[in-house]
């Protein structure tokens, strides 16, 4: 539980407050209702507050500690009235049509009541609906309704746990998804955190997408079923519910970032949650000491109740001395980035983060980025930050924590893309999330480093393509490509205008699998033309146990005449079912050939006899497409 002040009527005994209602001329204060969306409103509010609220007399400042709470004050509408309320020492948190929300001690609340206003303990109910064009988003109540529905529909695999309360007393919710969801089975756990920053509204939709993804596809999608069975998935859909509700008005948004915790001695409200975590808090100029700053770090580490609640939750997952959570994505907007620690230093390695850790972080970050087109980089490549969640999760808990900055890339539409973007921009991250879950048992596996304890991985199948081992071109007889057919051979290099296309190099020996090894008379000869070309492995019988991983070296090259109908694809054929496990689509830009590593989880195929199918396609006609594969292997980790 967090340190939120008590809510409800117990603290302020109504009888102890003399409420003589002063009949005030009620003039509707339309600042909030009358303005359109965006930062404009925030700056107006901030300016108005700064100009109108005198610094409270130090003698009447709320005592340190938690004996203050929030009250609604019905009546004050003018700046003079707000000033007399502020003079009691109470902090004005919010102005609305009916009056104010203040944070006050009991003494201050009585003083406000003596001014003739109706004072009641604040109960965090919001009546606003989402603005036009944003109805597809979920406000706090709607998000909770989705959570309740998900757990009602899937009680065997989904549970709701309230892990604490926000400053204003709203629930901070965790959704736990796993097979036998009520049982601690010792499975690796992955944590998804959302909406530290109120205005980053797409991140709540990302949480809803994940809840639905894992529950609706359980039992029908082999990969998702295997992950739900072998992992514990924690989704925390909103770390900052007070901010979310404050951000929203029926006509627009306030562009609010921080939580809604008042600051002693200042009229400015809120702590930046993503500067309040307890690792190198405030160390390095990556946060502000000023309560009016958007990156105010708070009075101390974990001074924000929301950060305290989530930190306590993460600490509670240390069971038998071992942190069960191995990986995290903290969702933000915007920028289309995948970031890894540390944020507090420009150095690639630092205390607690050695070259191997860095290599694992970067490799998984890059591979996730390959699935969604985001830019992978260290967090500090953006700018120095301190007290962020990812630095704490890694630096203290050794949880592989990534920050995703979702859609868009620029300030238009910035934090507020219309709801038509929700599906496209949340499903965009599905494969990155699945990849993280695949490696959650041992993130270091992605760089072929073992996590100890277990046995070294054993090789189930491998081919360096130096000898003929039974791969068959066009095995199904349905290929449509007319040239550039897959073959095993010694590849010749081709290029066009400085863009490397077919690579003359291999990653082992002299041979690879390539879309016609010869160069041809020009770059446009011997590339894939006319449709799809495929090559299929011999039959491989997979073991029944352990984690099964496929890894291969690969490249796809194309010129800017390509489209997203062109592709490089790796699939698993089992019986009559073909499942794509890795894919790179083409695009209308030059993509130089460069060897990279593709990884796929084959555990869902345990015990089956499969074949690996590799395809390349020039499916839109006329594009220059080349592809290669080398050093393909399947391993088993028990
Ligand atoms: O400043 C932030 O907290 C993040 N950007 S945002 O626009 N969503 O506010 C970026 C944080 C980057 N640094 C770390 N993740 N450490
Ligand atoms: Zn953010
Ligand atoms: Ca080779």
């Amino acid at each position: 539980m967090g340190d939120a002040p008590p809510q409800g009527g117990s603290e302020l005994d109504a009888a102890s407050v003399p409420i003589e209602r002063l009949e005030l001329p009620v003039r509707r204060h339309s600042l909030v209702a009358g303005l359109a969306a965006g930062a404009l409103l925030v700056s107006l509010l901030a300016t108005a507050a700064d100009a109108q609220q005198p610094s409270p007399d130090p003698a009447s400042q709320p005592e340190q500690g938690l004996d203050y709470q929030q009250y609604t004050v019905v009546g004050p509408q003018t700046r003079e009235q707000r000033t007399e309320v502020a003079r009691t020492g109470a902090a004005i948190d919010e102005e609305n049509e009916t009056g104010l929300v203040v944070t006050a001690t009991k003494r201050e609340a009585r003083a406000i009541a003596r001014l003739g206003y109706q004072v009641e303990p604040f109960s965090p109910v919001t009546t606003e609906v989402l603005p036009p064009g944003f109805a597809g988003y979920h406000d706090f109540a709607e998000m909770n309704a989705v959570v309740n529905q998900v757990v009602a529909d899937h009680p065997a695999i989904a549970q709701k746990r309230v892990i604490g309360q926000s400053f204003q007393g709203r629930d901070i919710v965790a959704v736990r998804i796993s097979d036998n969801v009520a049982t601690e089975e010792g499975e690796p756990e992955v944590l998804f955190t959302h909406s530290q920053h109120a205005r980053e509204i797409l991140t709540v939709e990302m949480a809803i997408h994940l809840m639905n993804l894992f529950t609706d596809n359980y039992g029908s999608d082999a990969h998702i079923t295997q992950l739900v069975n072998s992992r514990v998935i924690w989704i925390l859909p909103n770390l900052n519910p007070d901010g979310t509700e404050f951000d929203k008005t029926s006509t627009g948004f306030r562009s609010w970032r921080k939580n809604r915790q008042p600051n002693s001695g200042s009229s400015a409200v809120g702590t930046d949650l993503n500067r309040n975590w307890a690792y190198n808090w405030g160390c390095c100029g990556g946060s502000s000491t000023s309560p009016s700053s958007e990156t105010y770090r708070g009075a101390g580490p974990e001074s924000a109740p929301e950060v305290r609640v989530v930190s306590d939750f993460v600490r509670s997952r240390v069971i038998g001395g071992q942190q069960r959570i191995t990986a995290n994505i903290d969702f933000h907007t915007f920028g289309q980035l995948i970031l890894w620690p540390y944020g507090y230093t420009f150095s690639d390695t630092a205390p607690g983060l050695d070259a191997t850790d860095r290599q694992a972080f970067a490799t998984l970050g890059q591979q996730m980025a390959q699935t969604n087109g985001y830019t992978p980089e260290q967090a500090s490549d953006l700018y120095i930050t301190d007290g962020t969640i990812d630095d704490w999760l890694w630096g203290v808990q050794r949880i592989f924590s990534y920050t995703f900055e979702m859609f868009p890339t620029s300030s238009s539409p910035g934090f507020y893309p219309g709801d038509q973007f929700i599906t496209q921009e949340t499903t965009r991250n599905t494969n990155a999330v699945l990849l993280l879950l695949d490696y959650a048992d041992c993130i270091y596996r992605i760089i072929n480093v073992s996590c100890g304890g277990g046995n070294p991985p054993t090789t189930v199948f491998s081919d360096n393509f130096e000898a003929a081992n039974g791969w068959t071109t066009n095995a199904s007889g349905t290929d449509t490509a007319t040239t550039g057919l897959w073959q095993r051979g010694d590849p010749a290099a081709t290029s066009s205008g400085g863009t490397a296309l077919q690579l003359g190099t291999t990653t082992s020996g002299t041979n690879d699998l390539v879309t016609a090894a010869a160069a041809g008379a020009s770059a446009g000869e011997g590339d894939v033309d006319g449709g799809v070309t495929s090559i299929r492995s011999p039959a491989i019988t997979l073991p029944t146990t352990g984690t099964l991983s496929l890894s291969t070296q690969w490249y796809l090259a194309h010129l800017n005449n390509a489209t997203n109908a062109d592709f490089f694809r790796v699939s698993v054929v089992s019986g009559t079912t073909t499942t794509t496990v890795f894919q790179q689509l083409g695009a209308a830009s030059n993509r130089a050939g460069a060897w990279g590593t593709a990884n796929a989880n084959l555990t869902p195929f345990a015990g089956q006899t499969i074949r690996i199918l590799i395809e390349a396609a020039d499916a839109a006609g006329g594009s220059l497409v080349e592809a290669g594969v080398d050093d393909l292997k399947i391993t088993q980790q028990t």
Side-chain angles (χ1 to χ4, degrees), residues 417-435:
D419 57 14
Q420 72 273 21
F421 289 103
I422 293 174
T423 302
Q424 162 194 321
E425 295 302 331
T426 56
T427 57
R428 178 176 182 166
N429 291 321
T430 300
N431 286 334
V433 164
L434 297 183
L435 191 66

Side-chain angles (χ1 to χ4, degrees), residues 182-225:
T183 313
E184 294 288 358
E185 299 185 296
E187 294 159 339
E189 305 191 0
V190 177
L191 174 68
F192 299 99
T193 46
H194 303 255
S195 191
Q196 285 203 74
H197 294 142
R199 62 193 172 197
E200 299 170 10
I201 60 176
L202 199 54
T203 68
V204 173
E205 305 311 311
M206 188 68 220
I208 289 171
H209 169 61
L210 292 181
M211 288 184 241
N212 289 329
L213 177 75
F214 295 122
T215 55
D216 290 342
N217 296 299
Y218 185 73
S220 57
D221 179 292
H223 190 187
I224 286 174
T225 306

Side-chain angles (χ1 to χ4, degrees), residues 196-197 199-200 257 272 274-275 295 330-334 339-344 379-380 382-386 388-391 402-405 415:
Q196 285 203 74
H197 294 142
R199 62 193 172 197
E200 299 170 10
R257 171 181 170 94
D272 182 355
N274 207 27
R275 299 294 184 275
T295 55
D330 184 47
F331 286 96
H332 289 253
T333 67
F334 54 90
L339 308 174
W340 58 81
Y342 288 124
Y344 79 87
S380 55
L382 200 54
Y383 42 79
I384 291 284
T385 52
D386 47 47
T388 56
I389 188 173
D390 44 4
D391 282 9
Y402 291 89
T403 300
F404 275 35
E405 296 279 359
F415 299 115

Side-chain angles (χ1 to χ4, degrees), residues 220-233:
S220 57
D221 179 292
H223 190 187
I224 286 174
T225 306
Q226 178 254 328
L227 289 174
V228 170
N229 285 344
S230 61
R231 308 282 183 259
V232 172
I233 299 163

